[in-house]
Structure formats: structure tokens, C-alpha cells
Amino acid sequence: MFERVSNLMRASAPRARGLRVVLAAALLTVASYAAALELRGDHPDTYVVKRGDTLWDISARFLKKPWLWPEIWQANPQIKNPHLIYPGDVISLAYLDRVTAKVTPGERTARPIDAVPLAEVEPFLKDLRIVDSLDGLPYVVGLEDNRLRASRGQVAYVRGLEGAAPGQRYLVVRPEKRYRMLERAGLCCDLFQTQDLDARGQPGLSQDSPWTAAVFPSKNTEFLGYELMTQTVGTVTRIEVGGIQATTLLLDAEGRDVRVGDRLIPVQAQPYDLQFFPHPPKQQAEYGRLTVLSVADAARFGGTRDVIAISGGSRQGIDNGTVFSIWRRGDSVVDRVRDGLDRDESLTLHESKVRLPDEFAGHAMVFRTFDNVSYALVMSSVKPTRIGYELKHPDAAY
């Protein structure tokens, strides 16, 4: 009997050791995964979603890196779309073979929460768009009673709508900006130019733009796009007949003024996304390729919840929800200890200067993407974001 028990104990020992190894490995996996995700030390065990919350804000309660939220998302079979979170839902973390997030549905009488506050980006979703060319777009050639400006209830006369029919609706848009990538000798990277345009789409000073321009005297290397601002909406009432060479458009919506030179594009039912899910970029761009082109409603700087235009879009693999870190580019300075305190900075060759490190400024998430230009919302910041700042992977350390 004693010998049989001893044999059983010896036989079970390897299994026990194996079980301990498996458990240790599982715990190490969870610990390593949690470390990689950098869970906040003060994260709550559970959180009840409230009205006014955003996906980013909730993620930031659990993670030091809110853009990694999809990495811990656990599919909830009881929820038709697990990405949608509603006020009243209860969110908690579960620790199995990995860290996951679990949602316990509430009553769900309100609309789902957004990744970003839609009210703050809606004007940029509805009113701004980027096009590659202005050629071929119909344009306003005249206004009712020879007015300089027209508004709701008045008519505009348009050229280029030969195939239009009464009842068709069009957006009246105005070219506001021209974005270009530039090259300047002696620098580590490309720079970008933002030019204000007049109503004809020609370089000039626009008084109605929500942006502030940043212009660097340099050589043009790549055209990024024209930015169009929606002015209002109109309906075709009369077409070109009997020798009349202009289509009549009734301005029938509240909006901005219309003037000669404004362009027209067809009304689209829903040309933009309303839900955004934060994630890192799909690919890493070369240093200097992605930068801040413009800052909304500011002289040259912006902060948290400000909208920025960036010099990259779908052609660079950027989509809605892409998160970037924002960096002030390190200066190149004269080594005055080595070269002398009276050394003239302007006369020192760039190659002889000392390149200083970039400085972290914050994080931004893309919410509207075009071919070569995107709009992003600054989600968090430790210092103001400025035109010309560099955009990198959100995990970049330098």
C-alpha cells in the first residue's frame, strides 16, 4: 500500500510541476501583456458609461495609451456591435489568458457614445473637403441684382451646369487653401506650404478661413490639394435654354455668403464617418513626410480639442481613427563652446550645427481623410501644437 501511494506521488509530481509551469507562463503572459498595454495604476475595476463620455476618455481611464483600446476589446456575443458603447453600460477588465475588456449592457435608451466629441469636429466633417483640382467645377458667374454677395432666398447664376435638371441640389463651396509639399536645401526633411486663396481659387488673403497660413519660401515639389469650404446649399430652378448661358440656382439654406467665383459640387447623402475607433498607423512614414499644415481658429498654436490639418491621407495609409504623436522638431544650433561665443549663426553651415532632439507635444486622432491631406483632433497635449510640427507613431520615444 505504501509503495503504491509512493508510486502515485512520484507519477503525479511531473504533472504538478507541468501545471505550475503552465500557470506561471499564463501569469507571465498576462503580466507581460498588461505591461505592454500599460494599464493605469489607478484604473477602476468597473466604469459606468455616462452621457458626454467619449471612447478616448473611457480608454484613458484604463490605459496609459488610449489608442490601444481595440487590443483589449473582448467580443460580446450578447451585443450586436461590440464596438458601440452606450450610456449606462458597465465596462470592466477581465484577466484570463490576456487582458480583455467586457461590457455589460445597460438600458441603452440613448445613442452610442463617440470616440471624439462630434460637436467639436462636425464643422470640419460637413463643411471642409479636399479636391485635387478646381478645373471643371461649375462656378458662380453672377448674382441676383448684380449683388456682390448673396444669401438665403436669393439666386446665383452658374456656368458649367449644362446637364443639370430643375430640382437638383448642389453645395456652393469656396476654395480656401492650397496645400503643397516643399523642399528646402540643407534641411533634414520636406516642408509644407499653406496658401490662402481668393474666390477664384488664386493665391490671396481669405478673411473667412478657419485656418491660419504657414508659408515657407521654397521650391514646389508636390501638390497636396485644394481645401474647399462649404458656403451654403442651393437648388436648380432654371436651366440653360434659349441662348441663356447660365443656370439659375436658388440659395435655400442657412449658411455663409455666396460670391462670384464660388464653385459647386453635388450634394452627397453622407460623405463622412460618424464613428471612429482609435488605432496606431498602419505604416510608418519617413521622417519629415507628415507634419501639421494648419491649426484651426488660432494664430499658429493649438491645444487639446483643437483641429489640425496634416500633410498625409489615404495614399499614405492613413484612415479615420489613426492616432499620431505630435513633436516639435529639434533645432539645429551652433556649438558656441566649440566654435566661439561670437559665432554668427546665419553664417554657419547647416552641416556644422548640432541637431537637438525633437520634443513631444501631444497626441492627435484623424477623423477625416482625403488623398494627401487629413483632419485630426488633438486629443491630449503637454505643450501647444504648432504649424510645422512632426507627426510620428503614437509610441515614438524620440
Side-chain angles (χ1 to χ4, degrees):
M1 179 70 175
F2 177 79
E3 182 179 356
R4 208 166 44 238
V5 172
S6 299
N7 289 336
L8 287 172
M9 292 177 64
R10 283 195 297 271
S12 63
R15 290 198 297 271
R17 284 196 299 271
L19 181 60
R20 285 197 297 270
V21 170
V22 171
L23 288 175
L27 291 173
L28 180 61
T29 299
V30 172
S32 300
Y33 194 77
L37 287 174
E38 292 191 76
L39 293 171
R40 289 175 57 107
D42 60 347
H43 71 80
D45 293 329
T46 60
Y47 178 74
V48 180
V49 181
K50 301 177 178 59
R51 290 180 182 269
D53 281 342
T54 66
L55 181 58
W56 182 280
D57 295 335
I58 294 174
S59 303
R61 291 179 180 272
F62 293 93
L63 303 176
K64 292 183 179 179
K65 300 177 180 180
W67 57 91
L68 293 181
W69 180 256
E71 296 294 327
I72 66 170
W73 195 258
Q74 175 180 323
N76 292 275
Q78 72 273 26
I79 303 174
K80 184 176 180 180
N81 186 345
H83 288 293
L84 298 183
I85 304 175
Y86 295 76
D89 287 356
V90 180
I91 300 176
S92 58
L93 295 182
Y95 301 86
L96 300 173
D97 59 333
R98 55 175 288 174
V99 182
T100 57
K102 182 180 179 182
V103 173
T104 302
E107 294 184 2
R108 300 200 162 189
T109 56
R111 67 180 304 275
I113 67 169
D114 301 306
V116 298
L118 278 181
E120 298 182 18
V121 301
E122 189 175 24
F124 299 87
L125 291 170
K126 293 172 54 178
D127 297 340
L128 290 180
R129 67 204 68 232
I130 303 292
V131 296
D132 293 333
S133 174
L134 299 178
D135 296 337
L137 289 181
Y139 59 90
V140 176
V141 70
L143 299 171
E144 179 182 351
D145 296 329
N146 290 327
R147 297 172 181 268
L148 296 178
R149 300 170 186 265
S151 56
R152 183 177 183 179
Q154 298 168 343
V155 300
Y157 303 110
V158 181
R159 297 206 72 179
L161 283 179
E162 292 83 357
Q168 287 185 314
R169 290 176 61 73
Y170 288 87
L171 293 177
V172 183
V173 297
R174 181 171 301 163
E176 292 280 358
K177 297 285 183 185
R178 179 171 62 185
Y179 294 124
R180 297 188 299 170
M181 186 171 74
L182 308 169
E183 182 181 358
R184 191 167 72 180
L187 291 183
C188 64
C189 48
D190 295 318
L191 290 176
F192 298 82
Q193 183 187 69
T194 304
Q195 286 184 312
D196 292 291
L197 303 177
D198 61 19
R200 300 170 301 160
Q202 300 299 316
L205 183 61
S206 171
Q207 300 297 324
D208 302 321
S209 172
W211 303 107
T212 296
V215 179
F216 302 93
S218 185
K219 177 185 176 182
N220 180 26
T221 60
E222 181 185 349
F223 172 74
L224 299 179
Y226 291 100
E227 181 182 84
L228 304 180
M229 167 72 78
T230 299
Q231 300 300 110
T232 188
V233 183
T235 302
V236 173
T237 57
R238 292 184 296 178
I239 59 175
E240 300 180 18
V241 292
I244 303 299
Q245 297 177 311
T247 299
T248 301
L249 186 79
L250 174 64
L251 308 178
D252 54 10
E254 293 291 344
R256 302 175 180 87
D257 69 282
V258 174
R259 61 190 186 209
V260 171
D262 288 344
R263 266 61 171 186
L264 274 74
I265 59 176
V267 171
Q268 295 177 284
Q270 185 61 52
Y272 49 83
D273 292 339
L274 291 175
Q275 283 287 328
F276 313 98
F277 305 105
H279 58 271
K282 299 176 182 177
Q283 61 193 49
Q284 181 63 46
E286 291 184 24
Y287 185 85
R289 181 57 184 82
L290 300 179
T291 191
V292 177
L293 288 172
S294 296
V295 178
D297 301 324
R300 298 183 75 87
F301 296 91
T304 302
R305 296 298 190 260
D306 280 333
V307 174
I308 58 176
I310 66 176
S311 60
S314 57
R315 291 179 183 172
Q316 289 73 44
I318 300 172
D319 58 356
N320 290 340
T322 300
V323 178
F324 292 102
S325 56
I326 308 168
W327 296 76
R328 178 187 183 275
R329 287 174 176 164
D331 293 326
S332 294
V333 300
V334 172
D335 185 345
R336 299 190 183 277
V337 175
R338 184 193 65 186
D339 299 333
L341 297 177
D342 58 349
R343 182 75 173 184
D344 190 334
E345 183 125 6
S346 62
L347 298 178
T348 303
L349 295 176
H350 178 77
E351 294 77 9
S352 301
K353 294 182 178 180
V354 178
R355 177 78 155 81
L356 303 182
D358 293 351
E359 298 172 357
F360 174 73
H363 285 100
M365 191 187 80
V366 173
F367 62 84
R368 187 89 192 271
T369 306
F370 297 92
D371 287 345
N372 291 306
V373 177
S374 298
Y375 300 125
L377 185 69
V378 178
M379 305 303 297
S380 60
S381 57
V382 297
K383 64 174 60 180
T385 293
R386 183 173 181 173
I387 294 170
Y389 277 17
E390 181 77 11
L391 297 170
K392 305 180 184 180
H393 191 281
D395 290 334
Y398 54 87

